[in-house]
Amino acid sequence: MQLIEQLITHLPLLSIPMISAIVGWSTNFLAVKMMFYPIEFIGFKPFLGWQGLIPAKRREMAEIEVELVLGKLLSVKELADRIDPIELTKAIERRLKQTIRTIINDVMRESAPQLWASLPVHGKNLVYARVEADIPNVVINMVNDFKYNIEEIVDIKELVVGQLVNAPELINEIFLKSGEKEFPFIEKSGLYFGFLFGLPTMVVWMFYPTWWVLPVGGLIVGYATNWIALKIIFEPKNPIKFMGFTIQGMFLKRQKEVSRVYSDIIESKLMTSKNIMEIAVHGSGAGQLLELIELHVNDAIERYVAIAQPYFALGVGSESYYKMKELASQRIFNDSEKYLSYAYEYTNKALRIADDLCERMEALSPEEFEGVLRPAYEADEWKLILTGALLGMGAGFMQLYLVFM
């Protein structure tokens, strides 16, 4: 009976480390969530409200990813060299022939309507056949030129930054899956470290039960649990042998595993054939791509005309003739997605982005590999630590009021 009375008497005192553990867990849990959510700003801009740190700074994060990882490990030129023009032609040839027939009809009706209307069906079929027979030759030459000028047409930074800025949930996915074991650790470690830090607070309160002890203790717990959790993930960078154990930052120790996860996401969600083609057609290098298409289309038309009728250009008029070439180039450029989509399966296999990126990430030094995920913390980690400290102090005031007053 006396033992029970003593326990009841000391229960408020014992609650200090228990509540500290809860504070440590809750502040770390909240810190992780605040990094990623909400995806869009909630509240009243610019100060009253919150947006996840990573979605809010996704442009900066994306630029860091390009600078530290993708820009150094992935060469657009190297990727383009893996495309076999003959295999690519085979993949799109059937659909391209269908598209070309439509383009020929539309272009001729607009640039030389009388000539095209007077041409019998047999004559038109001969035009189709002549053009279709030359398609492999034109495409192969065009692909070779595209590969040679790839760095002017496709900007990897523009591709990556554009995709991640327009899809904030994707940059969240990259960090969440890459750090899928570290983030739960941050949350759980708050519970353990919070309890440990609560013990000295309890001792101080026993001998010096002043009102500010609990709020200050809560502030220290909230601050220290976040700070220590982040340090343990990335420190020490290089493995250290100690009493038969290997000590290294949790994230860095998982370099091989993280490299695989990260690379698979990059290949399946970011550096896809579709995204590469879209940035080529709609990005800053679209003008160079159009010039390349015009060069080869004009050359092809000149050859068709030379074979079919040397005086064709004079017959339709020089103005209509040049208009025809311009329209044909523009239509082939504008309709590129209609036939290039048939090459996505082939090009995805040919590029082998995930396997190569994974292999090169595994070979990075710990300092370099840290750049894969660390920027997510470094950019604004002080905000997370400060938030944890303030919440811990608030919990200390609540404990003071509810338990000891």
Side-chain angles (χ1 to χ4, degrees), residues 18-279:
M18 301 291 289
I19 292 177
S20 291
I22 296 172
V23 169
W25 173 83
S26 59
T27 55
N28 283 21
F29 175 83
L30 186 61
V32 170
K33 297 305 177 188
M34 288 173 67
M35 289 178 66
F36 299 100
Y37 305 104
I39 290 179
E40 300 297 338
F41 188 90
I42 293 178
F44 301 96
K45 292 185 176 182
F47 303 113
L48 189 58
W50 186 260
Q51 181 180 13
L53 294 180
I54 291 177
K57 293 203 167 185
R58 54 187 181 271
R59 179 174 293 277
E60 293 92 326
M61 295 291 181
E63 290 174 351
I64 290 172
E65 287 300 293
V66 174
E67 184 67 27
L68 296 181
V69 186
L70 300 178
K72 292 182 178 179
L73 303 183
L74 284 179
S75 164
V76 177
K77 179 68 174 174
E78 181 184 356
L79 294 176
D81 286 340
R82 296 174 182 175
I83 302 297
D84 184 335
I86 297 176
E87 292 300 320
L88 180 66
T89 303
K90 289 179 182 178
I92 67 172
E93 189 171 10
R94 182 178 176 183
R95 180 57 176 160
L96 181 56
K97 286 180 179 179
Q98 297 172 347
T99 305
I100 288 293
R101 286 204 173 203
T102 303
I103 292 175
I104 290 173
N105 277 321
D106 293 345
V107 168
M108 291 303 295
R109 286 194 189 106
E110 187 168 345
S111 58
Q114 293 180 346
L115 174 64
W116 191 245
S118 64
L119 196 65
V121 173
H122 178 68
K124 291 178 181 177
N125 287 335
L126 288 176
V127 174
Y128 298 145
R130 176 68 189 89
V131 173
E132 289 170 4
D134 200 34
I135 280 178
N137 178 58
V138 174
V139 173
I140 288 171
N141 290 335
M142 198 177 297
V143 171
N144 284 329
D145 261 7
F146 176 79
K147 289 165 63 174
Y148 184 79
N149 297 282
I150 186 69
E151 292 178 340
E152 296 178 6
I153 297 172
V154 177
D155 184 339
I156 191 171
K157 183 175 182 179
E158 182 182 14
L159 189 160
V160 172
V161 173
Q163 289 292 320
L164 294 181
V165 167
N166 293 328
E169 65 279 356
L170 179 54
I171 196 167
N172 270 4
E173 181 181 353
I174 290 173
F175 285 113
L176 283 169
K177 287 192 175 180
S178 297
E180 61 184 354
K181 294 187 178 179
E182 285 69 37
F183 293 122
F185 168 79
I186 292 177
E187 297 172 11
K188 293 177 182 177
S189 68
L191 188 70
Y192 310 136
F193 289 124
F195 182 84
L196 292 176
F197 284 121
L199 294 175
T201 305
M202 180 183 71
V203 173
V204 172
W205 178 265
M206 286 173 60
F207 296 99
Y208 195 72
T210 308
W211 69 269
W212 54 263
V213 170
L214 295 182
V216 171
L219 184 146
I220 293 173
V221 168
Y223 179 93
T225 52
N226 282 2
W227 185 83
I228 290 176
L230 293 174
K231 286 296 179 184
I232 290 176
I233 288 176
F234 295 106
E235 301 291 343
K237 290 184 176 64
N238 295 293
I240 297 175
K241 299 288 185 180
F242 179 74
M243 297 180 64
F245 295 96
T246 300
I247 302 173
Q248 188 181 17
M250 287 181 61
F251 179 72
L252 303 175
K253 191 182 292 185
R254 292 199 309 118
Q255 182 164 348
K256 187 172 183 179
E257 181 183 346
V258 173
S259 297
R260 183 77 263 172
V261 173
Y262 182 94
S263 301
D264 286 343
I265 295 175
I266 295 300
E267 181 184 71
S268 62
K269 301 288 183 70
L270 193 58
M271 296 288 293
T272 64
S273 296
K274 182 179 179 181
N275 290 345
I276 293 173
M277 201 61 246
E278 283 183 352
I279 203 68

Side-chain angles (χ1 to χ4, degrees), residues 313-324:
L314 295 175
V316 299
S318 59
E319 185 177 343
S320 295
Y321 181 60
Y322 287 114
K323 180 181 179 182
M324 178 183 69

Side-chain angles (χ1 to χ4, degrees), residues 267-401:
E267 181 184 71
S268 62
K269 301 288 183 70
L270 193 58
M271 296 288 293
T272 64
S273 296
K274 182 179 179 181
N275 290 345
I276 293 173
M277 201 61 246
E278 283 183 352
I279 203 68
V281 175
H282 303 294
S284 58
Q288 287 90 327
L289 178 60
L290 179 57
E291 287 179 7
L292 186 151
I293 291 174
E294 286 177 341
L295 176 67
H296 288 278
V297 169
N298 288 347
D299 179 65
I301 291 175
E302 294 286 353
R303 284 188 284 108
Y304 304 153
V305 170
I307 293 172
Q309 172 54 261
Y311 302 105
F312 175 83
L314 295 175
V316 299
S318 59
E319 185 177 343
S320 295
Y321 181 60
Y322 287 114
K323 180 181 179 182
M324 178 183 69
K325 293 197 290 185
E326 182 181 351
L327 285 172
S329 301
Q330 191 66 55
R331 278 294 303 276
I332 290 173
F333 176 80
N334 292 341
D335 293 352
S336 57
E337 293 179 13
K338 292 181 180 179
Y339 50 87
L340 288 176
S341 61
Y342 286 76
Y344 292 160
E345 183 178 354
Y346 161 71
T347 50
N348 282 333
K349 290 179 181 177
L351 293 178
R352 305 189 309 276
I353 290 175
D355 291 341
D356 276 8
L357 181 59
C358 179
E359 182 181 342
R360 294 171 190 184
M361 287 181 67
E362 289 176 6
L364 291 173
S365 68
E367 290 79 7
E368 292 171 323
F369 186 71
E370 183 185 29
V372 176
L373 195 62
R374 182 70 192 220
Y377 297 98
E378 282 187 324
D380 289 292
E381 69 179 25
W382 66 270
K383 293 181 181 179
L384 304 177
I385 295 173
L386 178 61
T387 300
L390 294 176
L391 290 173
M393 184 171 65
F397 276 114
M398 288 181 62
Q399 185 179 21
L400 177 67
Y401 178 76

